[in-house]
Amino acid sequence: MSDAPIVRPLPVSGFPEWLPEVRIVEQRWLDTIRATFERYGFSSVETPSVEALDVLTAKGETSQEVYTLRRLQADADDDSARLGLHFDLTVPFARYVAAHFNELVFPFKRYQMQRVWRGERPQEGRFREFTQCDIDVINVDRVPLHFDAELPRIVHEVLGTLGVPPWTLNINNRKVLQGFYEGLGIGDPLAVIRIADKMDKIGPDGVANLLGAQAGLDADQVRACLDLAAIRATGPGVVDEVRRLGVKSDLLTEGLDELAQVLGDLADLPTGSVVADLSIARGLDYYTGTVYEAKFVDWPDFGSICSGGRYENLAGSFIRRSLPGVGISIGLTRIFAKLLAEGLLPTGPASPADVLVVVPAAERRAAALATATALRARGLKVETYHQPDKLAKQVRYAARKGIGFVWFPPFDEGREHEVKNMATGDQTAADPAAWHPTSS
Amino acid sequence: MSDAPIVRPLPVSGFPEWLPEVRIVEQRWLDTIRATFERYGFSSVETPSVEALDVLTAKGETSQEVYTLRRLQADADDDSARLGLHFDLTVPFARYVAAHFNELVFPFKRYQMQRVWRGERPQEGRFREFTQCDIDVINVDRVPLHFDAELPRIVHEVLGTLGVPPWTLNINNRKVLQGFYEGLGIGDPLAVIRIADKMDKIGPDGVANLLGAQAGLDADQVRACLDLAAIRATGPGVVDEVRRLGVKSDLLTEGLDELAQVLGDLADLPTGSVVADLSIARGLDYYTGTVYEAKFVDWPDFGSICSGGRYENLAGSFIRRSLPGVGISIGLTRIFAKLLAEGLLPTGPASPADVLVVVPAAERRAAALATATALRARGLKVETYHQPDKLAKQVRYAARKGIGFVWFPPFDEGREHEVKNMATGDQTAADPAAWHPTSS
C-alpha cells in the first residue's frame, strides 16, 4: 500500500452502479425485454454512443443537455469537440437508417437497448447516464397506423412480465393538438404545443398565463386550449368529447380518426392501462402524430417511464427520402432505480453459480476441479472454492454469495460425492454425471 | 421532406456500427462469452461509462487518450470538464471494489462486458469506441496464483467456442523483468520495462538504442536485456533458459517460480496456445506479476486481441486496504471486426424471427394476428407481415430478412393452416398449437 492520497472511490453523482445482487436482476430484466422484442420479430441494432454534433442537433433539438467530447491531450486539429454523446436512441436510429438505406429491408423493425447521456443536474429519477430500451418501425413513405397500437401492446407485455407496479399509458396525437389550435385561428401551433407541454410542471394557470403572455392568445383561445387539455378518456369516445368543444379543421379530424383507431386497437387491454390524455404533447419537435407517455399510477409526480410517438420527417434530415417512423422507449434505469429505492425489487443472489464445489484439502484440489468440470459440461454454473479451507468457512461463503448448492467431492478416492441444499440444509449423496439442481 | 441541408449520415470514423445481420452474430458472441463466464461462477458488474478524471489517472495513467466531457450549454459551475469516459474496465473495477468494499464477498470474481473509449486516430483494428469483455478476481491481501492460470483457461474456452482462428496467449511475469534488470544493476527497472515494451513497434535495434540513449545502460546490460527478450518457451523449461543468462536476484527467482507454475497449470492446453514470451511487458504501470497478451497466429502484426495481468496496488489508490487482483480482457470488437473484414464471419439472418405470418387479405388480419399470438405463446419468435399484399411479395420479404418459415393462415375459416420451409421450399399443413421449426 502506498501513502499516496486516496482518490474518492464513489461513482460520480447521477451515474448509477449496482451491487452484483442488483445487477443480476437488471440483467434478467434486460434479457426479458430483449426476448419479448425478439418474439415480435424486431431486429437488434446498436449505434455508436457518439455522434457528430450536427446529427444530434439536426432537428434543432437543443433542449436536451448534450455532453460534448474533448481529448485530454487535444491538439490543434482535434476534431473531438464536434462530437457528442447521444441523448436518446431515436435520432441515432434515424441516422442509421439513412446511412444504411440501401442495405436494410423495409419496414425496418428494430429494438435498441443502450445507455444514453444527458448533462442534467441529478435528482430523483433523473440520471446523467441511463439505459433505454426502444422499439421503432421505420418504413419508406408510409408506416401503417396499426403499428401505433402494436408498439404499446409489446411494451404492455414487457412491463407485465417484469411485474412492474400499475402504470398508465397516456396517448395523444399531435395532429389533434395542432389541428385544434389551427381551428382556433392560432398562427403558430408549435409554440402553443411547447407551452401546453409544461402543464405537468406549471399547472393550468401557469400554462394559461404563458399562452396569453408568450403566444399572444386571447381569453377564448386560452380557455379552449385548457378545455382540450383537460380531456381524459379510455376509448374512442374521446372524439365526441373533443368535437363538443366546437373547433374544426381537417388536421383535427385526421388526428381524431387516428387517435380513435389506436385506442380501438388497444381496447382489449385491461381498463385504465391505456388512456387518451389530451394534455400530452411531448416537447420534442420531431413528433408529428401519435404520442405516448406512461406513468406509474401510484407515483404520478415521478414523471414518464416510457415515451415515444410517430415522426414523419426525422430521417429526412439525413437523406432525401420520406422515411416516417413510430417508436416507443422504455426508461429502464428510471423504472428499475425507482423500484429499488421503494424496496419493491427483490434482489438476486450475488453470484450466478448454481453450485460451489469445496476444496476439502490441498491434495484434493485436482479432484474438486475435475468435479466442477464435469458439472459445467452439463451446463451448470459452477464455482470452485479458491483454496483449501475449513469446510464451515466454505459453506458460509456459498451462503453469503447466494449459491444454492454446495458440492463435497469425496475426501478419499472411491467414496461418494455429496451435495448440500442450502435452502433446506439436506445433504445427500450425488453423482456429478447425473445430478441436477432440481433433483436435490 | 424539407429542403434543409442534408446532414451526413455516416457514423463517425472509429465508431463502428453493424448491419442487423452482423449485429445478430455479435449478440450471439456476447451471449456465448457471458454464458462461459457465468459457468465459472463470475458475477456480472457494470460501472458507469464516466469516471472522475482523478480516478482515471489515479495510477499516473496518461498514455491512453482519454475523452473528457463538457456540457454543450456549460455554465460557470459546470463540473463535467472533470469527467472522462473510461478507457478500460480494470481501473473502474478497482474503484468499484473500493467503493463497495464492505458489501462485497471476497474473493470477488466478476465479469464486465462494456464499451470503452480512447481518443486515438482510427486505423485498422483501432477503434475509438469498442467493447471489452473482462474477467478479474480481486481479494483481500492475497489472490492465489492458480487464478493466473484459470483466467486464460476460461478465455481459451471462450475463443474456442466462438471458433476464432488460431491464436497464441503469450505470458510473462513483470517480476522476472524487474528482477532481471535489478540483477543487472539497473537503477530504474520500470523505465527499462517501458522501453522494452516497444519491441513490437521499433524492433530489437530500436530498443537497444533507447536502452543506451534514454536509460543509460551499458553495452553488456543492453545485450542481456535483448537476450532475455528473445526467449520463447512453451513450458516450465523457460526457467532454465533465463537462468542460463547468469543474472540473479530474489525478485527474479520469485517471478520465475510464478511463471513456471502458471505454465505448468496450463500444460494440458494444446501445444502452441500458451507461450512464455519474455519480451511481453504490457506498458501499463499497474501490472506487477503475470502479464498476458494474445495474438492471432496468422496476423502477428495485428496486435493484441486479449491482454491483462496481475496488479497488486491498483485498488490501493482508492482505499487503505491491500486488494490485489488479476484479470484478463478480451478485445471483442477488435476480434469481431477483424474476422468480418477478412470475410471469416458468417453473417446471420437480418431478423431474429423464426416465422413470418402472412396477411392474405385485410379481413384476415385478425386471424393472422391470432395465429402469431398462438405461436408466440409457445416461445417462438414471430413477425406478422405489416399489410395485406401479394403473397409472393410477403414470401420474398421473409427471404430477404432470412426468416426460415412462412406461415399461411387459411383464407377461409375452417380450412387448414400451412407452413413453408424457406430452405427446402416444402409447404405442408400445420397446427399453430403444435408446430415447431424442427418438425417441418
Side-chain angles (χ1 to χ4, degrees):
Chain A
M1 279 176 284
S2 80
D3 292 328
I6 288 289
V7 175
R8 188 182 139 87
L10 289 181
V12 182
S13 166
F15 293 83
E17 70 183 6
W18 313 124
L19 288 171
E21 57 268 33
V22 176
R23 165 63 190 160
I24 204 170
V25 181
E26 185 188 41
Q27 184 65 66
R28 204 186 299 147
W29 278 40
L30 290 165
D31 289 344
T32 299
I33 296 170
R34 172 182 156 201
T36 308
F37 290 167
E38 291 191 351
R39 215 156 46 240
Y40 283 83
F42 282 71
S43 302
S44 174
V45 160
E46 290 199 342
T47 60
S49 306
V50 172
E51 299 280 353
L53 269 185
D54 56 356
V55 166
L56 295 177
T57 57
K59 292 301 284 186
E61 176 55 56
T62 52
S63 64
Q64 301 298 343
E65 284 278 9
V66 177
Y67 277 123
T68 62
L69 300 188
R70 174 165 279 274
R71 283 165 43 221
L72 189 56
Q73 288 110 359
D75 46 30
D77 64 341
D78 184 36
D79 64 346
S80 59
R82 294 184 299 101
L83 304 177
L85 293 169
H86 59 208
F87 56 82
D88 76 358
L89 302 176
T90 311
V91 172
F93 175 54
R95 199 266 311 138
Y96 176 95
V97 170
H100 305 290
F101 177 74
N102 291 317
E103 297 145 294
L104 298 174
V105 183
F106 291 95
F108 184 49
K109 302 159 75 167
R110 83 84 175 82
Y111 74 91
Q112 191 168 350
M113 301 166 60
Q114 284 184 248
R115 299 177 179 219
V116 304
W117 292 267
R118 293 182 190 173
E120 304 185 68
R121 263 165 233 291
Q123 48 175 301
E124 197 214 0
R126 295 274 168 205
F127 294 105
R128 298 201 272 183
E129 174 176 42
F130 51 100
T131 299
Q132 289 194 331
C133 305
D134 285 30
I135 36 175
D136 287 71
V137 181
I138 283 185
N139 198 18
V140 180
D141 295 335
R142 200 183 73 86
V143 176
L145 190 65
H146 63 76
F147 280 116
D148 297 44
E150 182 175 333
L151 299 190
R153 183 183 294 283
I154 295 171
V155 168
H156 186 86
E157 186 172 326
V158 165
L159 297 186
T161 308
L162 294 176
V164 162
W167 57 288
T168 299
L169 181 74
N170 297 301
I171 299 193
N172 197 2
N173 190 302
R174 288 278 283 254
K175 290 176 185 169
V176 170
L177 298 180
Q178 191 167 346
F180 188 88
Y181 301 148
E182 283 176 13
L184 281 174
I186 294 169
D188 184 359
L190 276 182
V192 176
I193 285 177
R194 256 177 250 120
I195 293 171
D197 194 41
K198 300 180 199 287
M199 191 72 78
D200 256 13
K201 284 176 190 151
I202 61 176
D205 290 347
V207 167
N209 282 338
L210 285 184
L211 287 177
Q214 275 188 13
L217 270 56
D218 67 30
D220 286 346
Q221 289 172 323
V222 168
R223 190 173 340 101
C225 289
L226 293 184
D227 286 348
L228 181 75
I231 291 174
R232 305 283 181 281
T234 56
V238 66
V239 174
D240 292 335
E241 291 203 46
V242 176
R243 292 254 160 79
R244 209 169 293 141
L245 300 179
V247 177
K248 281 185 185 141
S249 80
D250 289 349
L251 191 61
L252 175 60
T253 301
E254 190 182 326
L256 287 173
D257 286 352
E258 290 183 8
L259 184 58
Q261 187 182 324
V262 173
L263 291 170
D265 275 2
L266 294 169
D268 60 306
L269 293 185
T271 306
S273 55
V274 177
V275 173
D277 178 338
L278 280 286
S279 76
I280 301 292
R282 300 304 302 162
L284 297 178
D285 285 339
Y286 52 70
Y287 292 123
T288 50
T290 304
V291 284
Y292 314 106
E293 189 174 271
K295 291 182 175 184
F296 284 124
V297 171
D298 289 341
W299 304 300
D301 296 340
F302 181 66
S304 169
I305 57 171
C306 298
S307 64
R310 177 175 272 260
Y311 42 90
E312 302 293 327
N313 305 317
L314 193 49
S317 310
F318 310 112
I319 189 173
R320 295 249 178 261
R321 297 293 303 242
S322 167
L323 289 168
V326 57
I328 192 162
S329 173
I330 300 174
L332 175 88
T333 305
R334 274 178 67 75
I335 299 173
F336 189 81
K338 176 66 174 170
L339 298 200
L340 187 67
E342 295 286 339
L344 294 173
L345 195 80
T347 56
S351 165
D354 304 305
V355 180
L356 176 77
V357 177
V358 304
V359 177
E363 64 276 17
R364 299 299 294 152
R365 207 178 108 77
L369 289 175
T371 303
T373 301
L375 292 168
R376 276 187 203 113
R378 298 177 40 242
L380 295 172
K381 298 172 181 168
V382 185
E383 182 173 349
T384 316
Y385 195 75
H386 54 288
Q387 60 194 14
D389 227 331
K390 284 189 187 138
L391 288 184
K393 189 172 174 190
Q394 301 190 44
V395 171
R396 199 162 59 239
Y397 173 85
R400 292 177 65 208
K401 291 189 96 167
I403 302 175
F405 294 90
V406 176
W407 193 283
F408 300 89
F411 267 92
D412 304 302
E413 208 71 62
R415 298 194 53 181
E416 273 192 321
H417 294 255
E418 293 193 355
V419 64
K420 181 188 182 76
N421 181 327
M422 295 290 285
T424 64
D426 294 343
Q427 187 163 332
T428 52
D431 175 2
W435 178 86
H436 194 267
T438 56
S439 64
S440 283
Chain B
M1 280 173 283
S2 79
D3 291 330
I6 290 288
V7 175
R8 188 181 140 88
L10 289 181
V12 182
S13 166
F15 293 84
E17 70 183 6
W18 314 125
L19 288 171
E21 58 268 33
V22 176
R23 166 63 189 159
I24 205 170
V25 181
E26 184 189 42
Q27 183 66 67
R28 204 186 300 146
W29 278 41
L30 290 165
D31 289 344
T32 299
I33 297 169
R34 172 181 155 200
T36 308
F37 289 167
E38 292 191 350
R39 215 157 45 238
Y40 283 84
F42 282 71
S43 302
S44 174
V45 159
E46 290 199 341
T47 59
S49 307
V50 173
E51 300 281 352
L53 269 184
D54 55 358
V55 167
L56 295 177
T57 56
K59 291 302 283 186
E61 177 55 55
T62 52
S63 64
Q64 301 298 344
E65 285 278 9
V66 177
Y67 277 123
T68 62
L69 300 187
R70 175 164 280 272
R71 284 166 42 222
L72 188 56
Q73 288 111 358
D75 46 31
D77 64 342
D78 184 35
D79 66 346
S80 59
R82 293 184 298 103
L83 303 178
L85 293 169
H86 58 209
F87 56 83
D88 76 358
L89 302 176
T90 311
V91 172
F93 175 54
R95 199 266 310 140
Y96 176 96
V97 170
H100 305 290
F101 177 73
N102 291 317
E103 298 145 294
L104 299 174
V105 183
F106 292 94
F108 184 49
K109 301 159 76 167
R110 82 86 176 82
Y111 73 90
Q112 190 167 350
M113 300 165 62
Q114 285 185 249
R115 298 176 180 220
V116 304
W117 293 266
R118 293 182 191 173
E120 304 185 67
R121 264 165 234 289
Q123 49 177 300
E124 196 214 0
R126 295 273 168 205
F127 295 105
R128 297 201 272 184
E129 175 176 39
F130 51 98
T131 299
Q132 288 194 332
C133 304
D134 285 31
I135 36 175
D136 287 72
V137 181
I138 283 185
N139 198 19
V140 180
D141 296 334
R142 200 184 73 87
V143 176
L145 190 65
H146 64 76
F147 281 116
D148 297 45
E150 182 174 334
L151 300 189
R153 182 182 295 282
I154 296 171
V155 168
H156 186 87
E157 185 172 327
V158 165
L159 296 186
T161 308
L162 294 176
V164 162
W167 56 286
T168 298
L169 181 73
N170 298 302
I171 299 194
N172 197 359
N173 191 302
R174 289 279 283 253
K175 290 177 187 169
V176 171
L177 298 180
Q178 192 166 344
F180 187 88
Y181 302 148
E182 283 177 13
L184 281 173
I186 295 170
D188 185 359
L190 275 181
V192 176
I193 286 179
R194 255 177 250 118
I195 293 171
D197 194 41
K198 299 180 200 287
M199 190 72 77
D200 256 15
K201 285 177 189 147
I202 60 177
D205 289 349
V207 167
N209 282 338
L210 285 183
L211 287 178
Q214 276 189 13
L217 269 57
D218 66 32
D220 287 345
Q221 289 172 324
V222 168
R223 190 171 342 99
C225 289
L226 293 184
D227 285 347
L228 181 75
I231 293 176
R232 306 284 181 278
T234 57
V238 66
V239 173
D240 291 335
E241 292 203 44
V242 175
R243 290 256 160 81
R244 210 168 295 140
L245 300 177
V247 177
K248 283 186 184 141
S249 80
D250 289 347
L251 191 61
L252 175 60
T253 302
E254 190 181 325
L256 287 173
D257 285 350
E258 290 183 7
L259 185 57
Q261 187 181 324
V262 173
L263 290 169
D265 276 2
L266 294 169
D268 60 306
L269 293 184
T271 306
S273 53
V274 177
V275 173
D277 178 339
L278 280 287
S279 76
I280 301 292
R282 300 302 303 161
L284 297 177
D285 284 341
Y286 52 69
Y287 293 123
T288 50
T290 304
V291 285
Y292 314 106
E293 190 174 271
K295 292 182 174 184
F296 285 123
V297 171
D298 290 341
W299 305 299
D301 295 340
F302 181 67
S304 169
I305 58 171
C306 298
S307 64
R310 177 175 272 260
Y311 42 90
E312 301 293 327
N313 305 318
L314 194 48
S317 311
F318 310 113
I319 189 172
R320 296 249 178 262
R321 298 292 302 243
S322 167
L323 290 168
V326 58
I328 192 163
S329 173
I330 301 175
L332 175 87
T333 305
R334 274 178 69 74
I335 299 173
F336 189 81
K338 177 64 174 171
L339 298 201
L340 187 67
E342 295 286 339
L344 293 173
L345 196 80
T347 57
S351 165
D354 303 305
V355 181
L356 175 76
V357 177
V358 304
V359 177
E363 64 274 18
R364 299 300 293 152
R365 206 177 109 77
L369 289 176
T371 302
T373 301
L375 291 169
R376 276 187 203 114
R378 297 177 40 243
L380 295 171
K381 298 171 181 169
V382 185
E383 181 174 350
T384 317
Y385 196 74
H386 55 287
Q387 61 194 12
D389 227 330
K390 284 188 185 141
L391 289 185
K393 188 173 174 189
Q394 300 190 45
V395 172
R396 199 160 60 238
Y397 173 85
R400 292 177 66 208
K401 291 190 95 167
I403 302 176
F405 294 90
V406 177
W407 193 282
F408 300 90
F411 267 93
D412 304 303
E413 207 71 63
R415 297 194 52 182
E416 272 190 322
H417 293 255
E418 293 192 355
V419 64
K420 181 187 182 76
N421 181 327
M422 296 291 285
T424 64
D426 293 345
Q427 188 164 330
T428 53
D431 175 2
W435 178 86
H436 195 267
T438 54
S439 64
S440 280

